[in-house]
Amino acid sequence: METSIHHIEIDRKHFEEFFRLYWKRMFSFALKSVGDEDDAKEIVQDVFKSLWERRSYLQLQDAERYLLRSVKLKSLEFLRNKGNKQRHHEVILTGKTEFYEDNQLYYKELKNHLEDAVDSLPKQCKNVYKLSRDEGLTNKEIATNLLITERAVEYHISKALSVIKMRLKKYCNIHIARFLLITFLYF
């Protein structure tokens, strides 16, 4: 018996159904993560907005999993940005602007090196990496989208991480490389 992978077409009807079925759970998760109702609502709204904008080329197999994973990633991104803003305000208030500006330049330079490392990857490897890290797709979803095996996806992600790690080591010490890898690659 042959099983085929079923993709969900995201039309207005499906979109409204997803909203009705998953909004409450997504909101609860975001609220637990960020602790503020308005921020949680905005996070969920951003996820649904992104879903609608990308509906023509997204190939969903499991809408619930995709939406819950997206709200998790958005919540983490929100917390990271909020933490950065608080640190910026504290630094400015304490008058340590020189240290702050040095850190900002260093951070910007390292981020540029990370982007250069990603751009240096072979095309398929870069596509897999970006779908995984930027779009938050699972290995199975990536494999389906690119018509490759999950094992090939794992290989490309592993190769991408190793190339990026090697390129970043040239520009910073091991602790900062670890911090960057954790911050940019796993969230």
Side-chain angles (χ1 to χ4, degrees), residues 71-88:
V71 87
K72 177 183 175 184
L73 291 169
K74 274 275 185 219
S75 297
L76 288 169
E77 182 184 320
F78 173 86
L79 290 171
R80 196 165 61 231
N81 291 340
K82 185 178 178 183
N84 287 340
K85 279 183 199 162
Q86 284 174 340
R87 282 194 294 279
H88 297 322

Side-chain angles (χ1 to χ4, degrees), residues 54-81:
R54 298 167 56 214
R55 71 187 179 279
S56 60
Y57 60 89
L58 257 185
Q59 295 187 350
L60 288 185
Q61 294 167 27
D62 184 344
E64 179 181 20
R65 184 170 176 203
Y66 173 83
L67 290 168
L68 292 174
R69 183 181 168 107
S70 296
V71 87
K72 177 183 175 184
L73 291 169
K74 274 275 185 219
S75 297
L76 288 169
E77 182 184 320
F78 173 86
L79 290 171
R80 196 165 61 231
N81 291 340

Side-chain angles (χ1 to χ4, degrees), residues 13-139:
K13 185 180 145 225
H14 279 107
F15 182 82
E16 288 169 359
E17 185 181 330
F18 297 156
F19 188 86
R20 185 179 50 75
L21 288 172
Y22 307 121
W23 187 90
K24 200 175 209 170
R25 282 180 61 202
M26 292 167 68
F27 173 73
S28 294
F29 181 88
L31 183 59
K32 279 181 197 159
S33 299
V34 302
D36 179 88
E37 282 193 22
D38 290 336
D39 291 336
K41 284 177 185 171
E42 194 171 322
I43 287 167
V44 174
Q45 184 178 337
D46 285 350
V47 169
F48 275 107
K49 180 178 178 244
S50 173
L51 174 69
W52 184 252
E53 288 170 349
R54 298 167 56 214
R55 71 187 179 279
S56 60
Y57 60 89
L58 257 185
Q59 295 187 350
L60 288 185
Q61 294 167 27
D62 184 344
E64 179 181 20
R65 184 170 176 203
Y66 173 83
L67 290 168
L68 292 174
R69 183 181 168 107
S70 296
V71 87
K72 177 183 175 184
L73 291 169
K74 274 275 185 219
S75 297
L76 288 169
E77 182 184 320
F78 173 86
L79 290 171
R80 196 165 61 231
N81 291 340
K82 185 178 178 183
N84 287 340
K85 279 183 199 162
Q86 284 174 340
R87 282 194 294 279
H88 297 322
H89 289 300
E90 287 167 17
V91 167
I92 289 166
L93 288 173
T94 57
K96 295 178 182 172
T97 52
E98 195 176 304
F99 173 76
Y100 170 77
E101 286 164 7
D102 285 350
N103 271 356
Q104 284 300 98
L105 287 172
Y106 191 61
Y107 171 80
K108 205 175 205 174
E109 186 180 328
L110 288 170
K111 193 168 183 222
N112 288 340
H113 289 306
L114 173 67
E115 288 167 3
D116 289 345
V118 171
D119 286 340
S120 78
L121 296 169
K123 189 178 178 191
Q124 185 78 317
C125 190
K126 182 165 53 170
N127 286 344
V128 169
Y129 174 84
K130 286 187 167 199
L131 287 171
S132 172
R133 289 343 191 231
D134 297 346
E135 304 293 330
L137 298 182
T138 65
N139 288 2

